């Protein structure tokens, strides 16, 4: 996967319980309409998720996740936009790739050898994300000795492991908010140039996360888009290849303006 500048990955959660947009896209017509609006706005990738990974979330059966995700993937297979499946489960990734998805976004960091085999077998790129613990428990007092060394080291090791298993391309995601405190998150965001300087593309997803409440006192998740934009524009300036966002159209616009400002006349 290659492109210039920072692309936008639009979030499409087909779940009843995601922290910000849970229930908005549970009907197929609503999900497809939202996806097409994001595509028309200029998103590069649509990230389709059928299981919430918010802090404290309980896992759902693979059958439930497949029932949520597959109709959307099939409905968008010819929409002219890259489709990502956001899942921890190899069986869901396999079915979604067969249905028309192009890449796998694994918040488990490709720790599962079967997930690596699925991606390699389909010739599908994957996003490797760092998470301490699991969604249900990840915010229970996360601890690190050196958060930058540990998180970035994990990502580089998993990328090498994935390539060794035959995964054709890898994106790295530091997993902001996934088993990290406010200070861990800020330290990782400030250190992004160390990660983007490497050979792999970097994905940053801070959309509407609690970090913004911690920084700017915005308790309602849906009100955090301005803070999201600030953090994602920082990520773009430091070389991120993708930012993952709920307010996808606003991100496309903001990034175009920033690119124009930074480009020589």
């Amino acid at each position: 996967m290659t492109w210039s500048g920072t692309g936008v990955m639009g979030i499409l959660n087909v779940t009843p319980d995601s922290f910000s947009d849970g229930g908005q896209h549970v009907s197929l017509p609503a999900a497809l309409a939202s996806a097409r609006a994001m595509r028309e706005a200029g998103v590069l990738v649509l990230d389709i998720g059928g299981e919430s990974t918010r802090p404290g979330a309980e896992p759902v059966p693979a059958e439930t996740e497949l029932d949520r995700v597959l109709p959307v993937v099939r409905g968008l297979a010819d929409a002219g936009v890259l489709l990502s499946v956001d899942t921890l489960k190899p069986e869901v990734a396999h079915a979604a790739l067969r249905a028309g998805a192009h890449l796998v976004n694994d918040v488990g960091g490709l720790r599962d050898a079967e997930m690596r085999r699925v991606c390699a077998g389909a010739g599908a790129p994957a996003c490797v994300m760092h998470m301490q613990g699991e969604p249900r428990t990840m915010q229970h007092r996360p601890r690190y000795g050196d958060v930058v060394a540990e998180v970035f080291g994990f990502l580089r090791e998993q990328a090498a492991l994935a390539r060794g298993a035959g995964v054709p391309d890898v994106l790295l995601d530091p997993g902001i908010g996934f088993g990290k405190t406010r200070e861990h998150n800020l330290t990782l965001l400030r250190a992004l140039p160390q990660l983007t300087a490497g050979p792999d593309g970097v994905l940053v997803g801070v959309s509407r996360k609690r970090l913004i409440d911690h920084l700017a006192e915005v308790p309602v998740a849906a009100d955090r888009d301005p803070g999201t934009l600030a953090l994602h524009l920082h990520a773009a300036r430091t070389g991120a290849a993708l930012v993952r966002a709920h307010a996808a159209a606003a991100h496309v616009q903001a990034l175009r303006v920033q690119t124009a400002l930074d480009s020589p006349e």
Side-chain angles (χ1 to χ4, degrees):
M1 299 184 298
T2 58
W3 57 88
S4 61
T6 303
V8 176
M9 174 183 273
I11 297 170
L12 189 65
N13 288 322
V14 287
T15 55
D17 58 344
S18 291
F19 80 98
S20 172
D21 59 354
Q24 292 183 15
H25 306 120
V26 290
S27 77
L28 182 59
L32 295 179
S34 181
R36 289 174 181 135
M38 286 192 280
R39 176 202 63 193
E40 290 167 8
V43 303
L44 180 66
V45 184
L46 286 170
D47 194 36
I48 303 163
E51 178 180 60
S52 176
T53 53
R54 74 189 192 286
E58 296 288 343
V60 301
E63 294 78 9
T64 300
E65 194 175 343
L66 287 166
D67 286 344
R68 294 170 179 173
V69 166
L70 290 183
V72 180
V73 173
R74 292 179 180 129
L76 296 170
D78 298 319
V81 64
L82 292 172
L83 301 179
S84 166
V85 57
D86 179 1
T87 185
L88 285 156
K89 300 182 181 70
E91 60 266 47
V92 173
H94 176 72
L97 291 168
R98 286 177 59 87
H102 304 96
L103 63 121
V104 174
N105 184 11
D106 179 12
V107 301
L110 292 189
R111 290 181 175 95
D112 188 330
E114 183 59 25
M115 184 70 91
R116 297 193 295 270
R117 284 192 287 269
V118 165
C119 294
C127 179
V128 176
M129 195 194 82
H130 177 277
M131 173 172 54
Q132 188 176 93
E134 59 182 6
R136 186 171 54 87
T137 62
M138 63 188 178
Q139 289 306 108
H140 293 180
R141 294 190 292 183
R143 295 181 181 180
Y144 300 87
D146 181 331
V147 67
V148 171
E150 291 174 43
V151 172
F152 291 1
F154 167 84
L155 293 174
R156 293 179 181 119
E157 289 170 6
Q158 291 303 111
L161 193 61
R163 285 204 174 84
V167 180
D169 200 5
V170 180
L171 286 163
L172 309 181
D173 180 350
I176 302 300
F178 282 79
K180 283 98 177 170
T181 65
R182 172 188 183 276
E183 290 307 317
H184 293 147
N185 290 321
L186 287 174
T187 299
L188 289 167
L189 287 167
R190 290 167 180 149
L192 279 175
Q194 297 180 37
L195 192 61
T196 60
D200 298 307
V202 173
L203 166 65
V204 175
V206 197
S207 192
R208 300 179 180 173
K209 290 185 177 179
R210 190 165 296 174
L211 172 63
I212 298 164
D213 182 27
H214 293 161
L215 298 176
E217 298 182 1
V218 189
V220 178
D223 294 339
R224 297 172 187 162
D225 289 335
T228 300
L229 272 168
L231 292 171
H232 282 166
L233 289 174
H234 161 77
R237 286 192 297 271
T238 60
L242 276 176
V243 291
R244 183 178 181 273
H246 294 88
H251 275 72
V252 172
Q253 181 183 128
L255 286 164
R256 285 175 178 168
V257 170
Q258 179 165 281
T259 298
L261 284 169
D262 292 342
S263 299
E265 295 183 4

